[in-house]
Amino acid sequence: GLGRVQRAQALRGAIAANPRRAAMLKGANIVLVDDVLTSGATSGACVAALRQAGARQVKIACFSRVLDEAL
């Protein structure tokens, strides 16, 4: 029931990369797989955490996308 902004706020700081994987993530090109992309808040939070951990590039592959009109 949350809107786009509320979803992003709810996830702020909730997702972080595992510090034990820091060396593996630094400079890596990553494909993040998401089953359903709704508002993009979860994927956005994951991308931010991976970039903060040093990932060079993060691409998102999703199987289904909820249209904005459906939200």
Side-chain angles (χ1 to χ4, degrees):
L2 299 177
R4 182 178 307 274
V5 173
Q6 291 85 6
R7 285 177 189 258
Q9 289 174 342
L11 286 168
R12 193 163 291 134
I15 298 174
N18 184 331
R20 293 182 295 184
R21 303 288 186 228
M24 193 165 89
L25 294 171
K26 190 165 180 86
N29 295 315
I30 297 172
V31 176
L32 177 66
V33 179
D34 191 355
D35 58 349
V36 178
L37 189 69
T38 305
S39 70
T42 303
S43 290
C46 290
V47 169
L50 290 166
R51 294 295 306 241
Q52 185 175 4
R56 185 172 76 85
Q57 185 178 57
V58 181
K59 301 270 185 178
I60 300 170
C62 72
F63 297 100
S64 182
R65 171 75 166 110
V66 177
L67 299 175
D68 287 339
E69 297 83 34
L71 298 176

